[in-house]
Amino acid sequence: MERFTTNSLMPQVIDPKQFALPNKSTTHALVYLLHQILAALDSGHNSIRLFFADFRKGFDLVDHSVIINELGNLNVHPVLTRWIKAFLTNRQQCVKVDCHESSWKTTNGGLPQGTCLGPPLFAILVNPLLKDWNGRLKFVDDTTALEVIPRCSPSLLPLVVQEISNFSSARGMELNPQKCKEIIINFLQYRIPCDQTMFINRQCVERTFPSDHYIVEFEIRLKFRRAKPVRRKVFNYNQADLVGLRSSLSRAPFYQITSYDNIDDRWSRWKDLFMTAVNEHIPTN
């Protein structure tokens, strides 16, 4: 029943930039993110700023009423909504250590992990998050905000981070400032102003931290040598023997080109044959 419900929910209501969907994976998410970054950097006039959001106890702090309201906003069938509500509410749990077991308590929130419905329900919870920000990427409870900053332009990502913080607070969720990370990729001489620090609940998002995420700032300086002048050959077509040129080209052994396996070799041979005929019948100035 869970899998049937999941299949009914996923295709119709989820943000297209949510990659926890059937036929999508973390690989698709990474490829999409890298493509957006490289496409922006290839223009040569942009830098990149990314924010990786981490929700504190993401699945445990889910408010069931928020999910039910969101299902209503997405026009999910009422029968399906009632079934999901019954699935979430009045669940009991206890703690067991060795042979000792606590009393059973009814939970007032949270999503059951290890179930088929857990990830899609969380995806529905964050479905409206950053809906107007094109540089977004979601994978269940992992959210990434990407900003392409044109040369000599200010960064708007701190405002986006504030929007994420307000969104989570309004739904009973919390961002973990210690685990939220920032990455800057900058090949330009112009640097993003250091005073554009990002804050979460008045706590600064650190740019240096002992973890598996670090600020990445690239600086590449290239020295270009002046190219040697190319000798140009100008042909005088007014004195050309075009009839002789046509006759020479018709007799040229172009069929020999097919004996070369490499396309570069074929092009080089074709050019030699053609230019030999041209040089023979068209004088230069």
Side-chain angles (χ1 to χ4, degrees), residues 249-268:
L249 289 176
S250 64
R251 296 194 306 270
F254 287 108
Y255 60 87
Q256 295 178 356
I257 297 175
T258 58
S259 62
Y260 295 90
D261 295 330
N262 190 296
I263 190 171
D264 292 330
D265 294 337
R266 292 187 180 188
W267 158 246
S268 178

Side-chain angles (χ1 to χ4, degrees), residues 3 33 76 94:
R3 193 171 297 278
L33 181 61
V76 176
C94 70

Side-chain angles (χ1 to χ4, degrees), residues 154-283:
S155 172
L156 301 178
L157 198 60
L159 301 178
V160 176
V161 172
Q162 186 60 46
E163 180 182 342
I164 297 175
S165 180
N166 295 340
F167 177 92
S168 58
S169 298
R171 286 160 174 74
M173 304 160 63
E174 295 181 14
L175 283 175
N176 189 347
Q178 287 76 25
K179 291 187 177 181
C180 292
K181 308 303 178 186
E182 176 187 6
I183 291 181
I184 297 174
I185 306 176
N186 184 21
F187 291 96
L188 305 177
Q189 186 175 1
Y190 167 80
R191 297 177 181 273
I192 299 174
C194 297
D195 58 348
Q196 293 181 316
T197 306
M198 294 186 289
F199 292 88
I200 298 175
N201 298 329
R202 298 182 180 180
Q203 185 170 349
C204 176
V205 177
E206 297 182 6
R207 291 190 179 181
T208 57
F209 34 79
S211 74
D212 56 344
H213 296 85
Y214 293 90
I215 295 176
V216 179
E217 187 168 334
F218 300 95
E219 182 176 352
I220 297 179
R221 296 182 180 180
L222 299 177
K223 293 183 178 179
F224 297 94
R225 296 181 178 179
R226 187 171 182 177
K228 296 181 180 180
V230 179
R231 295 183 61 185
R232 300 181 61 184
K233 182 182 293 187
V234 180
F235 292 94
N236 186 351
Y237 288 95
N238 293 328
Q239 300 179 10
D241 179 11
L242 298 180
V243 175
L245 175 62
R246 180 176 182 180
S247 177
S248 294
L249 289 176
S250 64
R251 296 194 306 270
F254 287 108
Y255 60 87
Q256 295 178 356
I257 297 175
T258 58
S259 62
Y260 295 90
D261 295 330
N262 190 296
I263 190 171
D264 292 330
D265 294 337
R266 292 187 180 188
W267 158 246
S268 178
R269 179 56 178 161
W270 183 92
K271 183 177 69 173
D272 291 342
L273 292 173
F274 181 81
M275 292 306 301
T276 298
V278 169
N279 290 325
E280 182 179 352
H281 297 282
I282 303 179

